[in-house]
Amino acid sequence: MNWIYLIIAGLFEVAFAACLGKAKVASGTESTYWYVGFLVCLAVSMLLLMKATQVLPIGTAYAVWTGIGAVGTVLIGIFVFKEPATFWRLFFLTTLIASIIGLKVVSH
């Protein structure tokens, strides 16, 4: 169950990064809503990370959490914010995913 908490926490990390991106291009009240979304997603992400680290090793949990956030944020950047999807960017994204899977496999 703690791995599920950790995965959901990572997805909320992606959501809070996406909210920051949307707030940057919004204006007025819409921008405020995106910042509120950022704060809510940040709080949920941290609470779930805290819950997961009560059982999982902190080094592994934190690395997986940031990895999910990094991969998800890059994908949001490519698909939502139209950032470039260069060969090297995708190559290193793939190595990051492999590293996250590796940490999960070798953790007790």
Side-chain angles (χ1 to χ4, degrees):
M1 190 67 188
N2 292 295
W3 282 103
I4 294 170
Y5 291 145
L6 186 60
I7 291 167
I8 295 169
L11 295 175
F12 272 96
E13 183 186 4
V14 174
F16 76 67
C19 286
L20 282 178
K22 294 298 275 184
K24 185 172 83 172
V25 298
S27 60
T29 305
E30 182 183 355
S31 177
T32 302
Y33 291 145
W34 285 113
Y35 284 123
V36 170
F38 162 77
L39 292 173
V40 169
C41 290
L42 177 65
V44 171
S45 182
M46 291 298 159
L47 288 171
L48 290 171
L49 176 62
M50 183 179 67
K51 177 75 174 150
T53 58
Q54 291 175 349
V55 174
L56 301 174
I58 186 68
T60 300
Y62 185 74
V64 170
W65 177 75
T66 57
I68 291 169
V71 169
T73 302
V74 169
L75 292 175
I76 291 290
I78 290 170
F79 292 112
V80 174
F81 297 109
K82 306 301 181 212
E83 295 175 358
T86 65
F87 169 80
W88 288 112
R89 198 166 190 208
L90 296 176
F91 172 78
F92 287 115
L93 187 63
T94 303
T95 62
L96 181 56
I97 293 168
S99 297
I100 293 168
I101 292 169
L103 282 171
K104 167 68 172 98
V105 168
V106 300
S107 294
H108 297 98

